[in-house]
Amino acid sequence: MTWEVLSMIGTIAFAISGAIVAMEEEYDILGVYILGIVTAFGGGAIRNLLIGVPVSALWEQGMYFQIALLSITAVFLFPHNLLKHWQRWGNFFDAIGLSAFAIQGAIYASEMNHPISAIIVAAVLTGSGGGIIRDLLARRKPLVLNSEIYAVWAIICGLVIGLKFATSPAEIFTLFIVITGLRVLSYTFDWKLPSKRLRT
């Protein structure tokens, strides 16, 4: 499976995720499209700003924008029964998108010879930045900032790529499978990061 296919899967997953959140919040059709597009491309836009890639590079992804728009249109037209089916599998596709985009963000930064700290930030922002913007626009607590383990897997992607532990296509694809699997395990078994509450 090529990275182009993984990019398509991630784009579809995040576009649909944003659209579903918009519909849950009872946004109108314009809001559904905006939230879907922001979720699919927001992380990449923030990453480009921070690591020095022209933001205009996003507009060169015409095919992915078309895929995102078609995905949002499809989910908007789906019957409620199919949307409930998506909710059951939504976390799985989100895990695929997180893993694929986090690795791509790390590779972007690594190829630009940025330090490992920038590579990790690029991985986190690409993998979860769109979701953060989506949740903020939907007035929800961002998943990545909650106690659920989410961004940790993107950090691991950044570390592995930044330390050159995965350089060949086979190694990168193995990393993708491992991170996707870990994300699935983390929400299946409700793994949590330590947290401290000040309210009693």
Side-chain angles (χ1 to χ4, degrees):
M1 184 181 293
T2 65
W3 279 109
E4 287 77 14
V5 173
L6 292 176
S7 295
M8 290 181 188
I9 293 173
T11 299
I12 292 169
F14 283 150
I16 293 177
S17 171
I20 287 178
V21 168
M23 287 187 286
E24 288 176 346
E25 297 297 328
E26 299 183 353
Y27 287 7
D28 62 20
I29 186 170
L30 180 60
V32 171
Y33 277 97
I34 289 175
L35 215 56
I37 291 295
V38 164
T39 307
F41 298 99
I46 298 173
R47 175 205 65 212
N48 288 357
L49 280 173
L50 290 181
I51 68 175
V53 176
V55 179
S56 59
L58 281 177
W59 305 119
E60 298 171 4
Q61 304 181 55
M63 180 181 67
Y64 294 112
F65 273 98
Q66 293 173 13
I67 291 172
L69 290 172
L70 288 173
S71 301
I72 296 167
T73 301
V75 77
F76 188 80
L77 297 175
F78 276 177
H80 286 292
N81 290 339
L82 291 180
L83 288 180
K84 291 178 181 177
H85 183 71
W86 160 260
Q87 290 284 10
R88 186 166 56 185
W89 289 93
N91 282 332
F92 175 68
F93 285 101
D94 183 76
I96 292 174
L98 168 69
S99 179
F101 285 159
I103 292 172
Q104 288 178 340
I107 291 173
Y108 264 35
S110 178
E111 290 178 346
M112 296 183 68
N113 297 316
H114 285 302
I116 190 168
S117 57
I119 294 173
I120 292 173
V121 170
V124 172
L125 290 178
T126 309
S128 58
I132 292 175
I133 299 173
R134 174 202 65 205
D135 292 340
L136 291 175
L137 290 176
R139 292 170 293 182
R140 295 183 174 187
K141 181 184 292 186
L143 179 65
V144 67
L145 302 180
N146 208 344
S147 58
E148 182 177 345
I149 298 179
Y150 190 88
V152 169
W153 309 128
I155 292 172
I156 292 175
C157 289
L159 281 170
V160 172
I161 298 296
L163 295 173
K164 310 295 184 185
F165 290 153
T167 54
S168 69
E171 291 169 341
I172 291 173
F173 186 66
T174 300
L175 175 63
F176 164 76
I177 294 174
V178 170
I179 295 300
T180 300
L182 287 171
R183 171 58 189 149
V184 170
L185 290 173
S186 70
Y187 70 72
T188 300
F189 296 103
D190 198 27
W191 295 348
K192 300 283 186 180
L193 292 174
S195 62
K196 186 173 183 178
R197 300 182 184 277
L198 296 180
R199 291 181 297 179
T200 56

